[in-house]
């Protein structure tokens, strides 16, 4: 294949060079090209070459037709027909014997769709598309594939599945590219969707074929008790994809109707996974669907069953990291992120050097170069490594919540790791600074942010995620239903740029917290005196000299720490201006408002702390007077604290909108709304802990300096610090209420709307009229009940963890207020 592609590329270059002088006709070039490939195919047939060799040349014929179509706009109509015929010919030749035919043809099917949608609407192109899909349909409805005949084999099931996959992929591609803004293209979209619905396989037919494929697990292609899936696994995944696309691109009157439809698909796949427990394709699809429902614990169970190890942690962990974060599964996240860091350390220090040396010793120079390029171009600049560091730093204070405890106390926040503003911060900050030089330790992210915003380039990092395992592609922007769009965002993975920006933002937050801790540790209490009484006459000159030297040293050290924090704040503010203008991963307006407000509050609180320390460094003796009620000289400091309180209050207003925006009566009876659960958990690790640390640090500083953050107003003292603290307490309580609801039996019949939605889902499953392999009719009522109960339990568990976090934070803040 590589040789053929190099041949094609060079021939095109030759054509381009010759055509500039008018020496070569393009049509003649393609004719000569096709003749060469046809001759090679003839030789292979005469020599009885292997199937792989013949398949490569046949696929190369499809590639030639695709290249002609891409380059020859003037003959697009003629070349389009040739292109379609080659696709059909390839399917006829190999679909019954090679499961990879679908993946071989995916790029060409997508090119055909994009070419069709880009054309002006006309009868000619519609007739051509109708003919192409009719021919595809004929392959699926051939006599030996017809479900009514009942004669099945692994070969016929394989071919039937591949054609169903192509139809499903076509429909998905059209839906994702529906909004072009051109009336002609919109007409083409509508025509193609109607044609696909008419010519494509029906759900009942696909279920019947899948059900009859189950006894084929003892066929020659399947080894009993093997770790491979069954022959019909891809077909049931195709059915699920079709149903999810139908659900998410429909219009529902209630959010629960959409969730119920997704639950129906989950029920189907959970039942199929029982039939084929080793199926990776079913498990991967289920992980995406459970992400839609915010059932993060089930997603993690499925991911664990895949037995992901080594470099697969790097390429596949993205499937569950976001879901685990939304479900407050912090211990599981830290485990996966730690495995990613360990992989990079091992690869850099042991594996790559060892393999490269062995390759050189065996004179395999190409392999040695490949290993070095893999390390330098993939691993050293890995986005996943950067993201893993960010998640570890964010979740370090919450590590105690990896195991649920019956008693929740204030000490659980930051009792193991992380900066939380208490007396343990100084030692931890020193450790972080010491480890920041180790590129495979999480604290090194504090140094990675030293790159200026203007020098930030997306291409500087390598995205090593394997996105090809996600056949179910979801685009909230292409959905017309608001409910579906909100839920669909839960299963959308962030882009490479979004991962980089969000990770660097974590680095800036933690850099500020580290330098804040170091600054407070450099502050000495006011009026510090010696406990021992010494003779003033004997030691007067020596004491004055020592005091002067000590004061100068103290002032210099304090000013140096102030400058470090000021620079960190400046860099962070510059970055966040860039971040807000480029980031698109925030889920909705409420999250955007809350996130920005809490971040601004954190920066305002740090500003006030820095201004206070700078004032103290310049004149330690006047710090108390500056904050006295009669002389509020530190107005800038007080304004910063007041602005922080206002920002936290603003976030509280957004939090109070959660139930109004997301809560639907039909939904709350059965399930916790996924969007509420994911929103509050994301805010926890990213923003709330940093606010807690800033408030505590401000309190510690005020005690050290013997000052009080207050302002005189009409003779009454108003404590600005207490206002900010109380605002934070109110915010957490509001967010806690947003996830607290009475858990009900999933099948309580006292809600007519909920009961109607549930019954319609079970009726749909029963209408499929599928029997098990043993001939016993499947109880879809039980299947649906089990899937619903599973998701409900997963959400209840995640909500319990989150509630424990809120309680611990409230207790912590209440203790500070007292």
């Amino acid at each position: 294949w590589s040789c053929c592609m190099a041949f094609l590329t060079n021939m095109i270059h030759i054509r381009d060079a010759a055509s500039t002088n008018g020496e070569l006709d393009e049509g003649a070039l393609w004719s000569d090209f096709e003749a060469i490939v046809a001759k090679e195919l003839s030789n292979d047939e005469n020599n009885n070459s292997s199937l792989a060799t013949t398949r490569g040349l046949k696929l190369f014929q499809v590639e030639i037709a695709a290249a002609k179509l891409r380059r020859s706009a003037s003959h697009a109509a003629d070349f389009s027909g040739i292109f379609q015929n080659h696709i059909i010919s390839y399917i006829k030749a190999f679909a019954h014997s090679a499961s990879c035919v679908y993946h071989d043809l995916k790029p060409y099917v997508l090119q055909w769709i994009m070419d069709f949608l880009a054309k002006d609407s006309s009868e000619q192109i519609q007739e051509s598309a109708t003919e192409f899909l009719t021919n595809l349909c004929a392959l699926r409805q051939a006599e030996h594939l017809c479900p009514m005949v009942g004669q099945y084999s692994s070969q016929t099931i394989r071919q039937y599945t591949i054609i169903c996959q192509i139809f499903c992929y076509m429909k998905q591609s059209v839906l994702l590219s529906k909004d072009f803004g051109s009336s002609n293209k919109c007409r083409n979209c509508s025509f193609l969707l109607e044609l696909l619905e008419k010519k494509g396989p029906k759900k009942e037919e696909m279920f019947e074929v899948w059900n009859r494929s189950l006894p084929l697990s003892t066929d020659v292609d399947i080894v009993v008790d093997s770790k491979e899936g069954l022959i019909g696994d891809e077909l049931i995944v195709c059915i699920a994809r079709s149903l999810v696309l139908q659900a998410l691109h429909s219009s529902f009157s209630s959010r629960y109707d959409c969730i119920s439809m997704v639950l129906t698909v989950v029920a189907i796949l959970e039942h199929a996974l029982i039939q084929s427990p080793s199926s990776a394709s079913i498990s991967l699809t289920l992980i995406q669907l459970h992400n839609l429902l915010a059932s993060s614990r089930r997603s993690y169970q499925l991911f664990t069953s895949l037995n992901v190890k080594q470099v697969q942690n790097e390429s596949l962990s993205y499937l569950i990291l976001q879901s685990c974060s939304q479900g407050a599964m912090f211990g599981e996240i830290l485990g996966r992120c730690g495995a990613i860091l360990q992989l990079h350390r091992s690869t850099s220090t042991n594996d790559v050097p060892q393999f490269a040396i062995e390759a050189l010793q065996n004179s395999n120079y190409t392999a040695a170069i490949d290993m070095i390029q893999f390390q330098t171009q993939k691993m050293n600049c890995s986005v996943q490594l950067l993201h893993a560091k960010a998640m570890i730093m964010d979740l370090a204070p919450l590590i105690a919540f990896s195991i649920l405890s019956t008693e929740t106390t204030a000490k659980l926040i930051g009792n193991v790791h992380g900066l939380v503003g208490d007396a343990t911060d100084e030692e931890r900050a020193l450790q972080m600074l010491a480890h920041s030089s180790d590129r495979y330790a999480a604290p090194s992210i504090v140094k990675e942010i030293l790159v200026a915003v203007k020098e930030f380039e997306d291409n500087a990092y390598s995205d090593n995620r394997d996105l090809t395992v996600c056949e179910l592609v979801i685009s909230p922007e292409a959905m017309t239903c608001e409910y579906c769009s909100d839920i669909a965002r839960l299963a959308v993975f962030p882009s490479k740029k979004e991962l980089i920006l969000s990770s660097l933002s974590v680095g800036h937050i933690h850099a500020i917290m580290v330098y804040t801790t170091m600054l407070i540790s450099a502050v000495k209490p006011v009026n510090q005196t010696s406990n021992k009484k010494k003779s003033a006459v004997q030691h007067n000159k020596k004491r004055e000299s020592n005091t002067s030297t000590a004061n100068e040293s103290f002032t210099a050290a304090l000013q140096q720490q102030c400058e470090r924090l000021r620079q960190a704040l400046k860099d962070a503010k510059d970055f966040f201006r860039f971040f807000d203008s480029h980031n698109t991963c925030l889920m909705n307006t409420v999250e955007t408002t809350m996130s920005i407000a809490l971040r601004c509050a954190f920066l305002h609180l740090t500003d006030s702390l820095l201004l206070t320390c700078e004032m103290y460094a310049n004149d330690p003796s006047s710090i108390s007077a500056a904050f006295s009620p009669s002389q509020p000289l530190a107005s800038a400091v007080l304004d910063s604290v007041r602005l922080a309180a206002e920002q936290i209050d603003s976030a509280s207003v957004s939090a109070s909108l959660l139930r109004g925006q997301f809560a639907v009566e039909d939904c709350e009876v059965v399930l916790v709304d996924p969007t509420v659960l994911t929103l509050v958990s994301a805010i926890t690790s990213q923003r709330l802990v940093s606010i807690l640390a800033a408030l505590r640090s401000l309190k510690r500083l005020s005690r050290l300096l013997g000052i009080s953050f207050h302002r005189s107003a009409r003779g009454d003292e108003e404590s600005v610090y207490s206002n900010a603290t109380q605002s934070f307490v109110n915010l957490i309580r509001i967010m806690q209420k947003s996830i607290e609801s009475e858990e009900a039996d999933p099948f309580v019949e006292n809600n007519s709307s909920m009961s109607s939605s549930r019954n319609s889902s079970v009726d749909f499953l029963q209408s499929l009229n599928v029997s098990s392999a043993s001939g016993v009719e499947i109880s879809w009522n039980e299947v649906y009940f089990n899937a619903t109960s599973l998701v409900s339990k997963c959400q209840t568990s995640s909500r319990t963890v989150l509630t424990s976090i809120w309680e611990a934070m409230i207790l912590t803040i209440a203790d500070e207020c007292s």
Side-chain angles (χ1 to χ4, degrees), residues 729-800:
V729 174
N730 292 337
L731 168 66
I732 295 179
R733 284 176 175 161
I734 290 171
M735 295 182 71
Q736 182 181 7
K737 289 179 181 179
S738 70
I739 59 170
E740 285 182 340
S741 62
E742 294 296 327
E743 185 65 24
D745 187 332
F747 293 133
V748 173
E749 301 293 342
N750 59 2
N751 185 293
S752 58
S753 177
M754 180 279 296
S755 177
S756 173
S757 298
R758 176 255 170 178
N759 289 336
S760 63
S761 297
V762 175
D763 290 342
F764 168 76
L765 291 169
Q766 291 175 340
S767 70
L768 299 171
N769 194 25
V770 180
S771 300
S772 65
S774 61
V776 180
E777 185 175 344
I778 296 172
S779 174
W780 288 112
N781 188 82
E782 183 178 354
V783 171
Y784 183 83
F785 175 83
N786 291 338
T788 309
S789 300
L790 182 67
V791 174
S792 182
K793 289 177 181 177
C794 289
Q795 291 186 329
T796 303
S797 177
S798 299
R799 189 178 54 197
T800 303

Side-chain angles (χ1 to χ4, degrees), residues 396-401 405 407-418 420 422 424 428 692 696 804-805 807-813 815-816:
L398 304 172
I399 190 173
F401 288 99
S405 58
E407 296 183 2
T408 305
T409 64
K411 294 182 180 179
L412 287 177
I413 300 292
N415 71 324
V416 180
H417 296 293
V420 291
D422 60 15
T424 62
R428 294 178 183 177
L692 170 63
R696 279 177 155 184
S804 300
I805 295 172
E807 291 173 353
M809 284 191 170
I810 289 176
L811 289 172
T812 302
I813 297 298
D815 179 64
E816 293 292 326

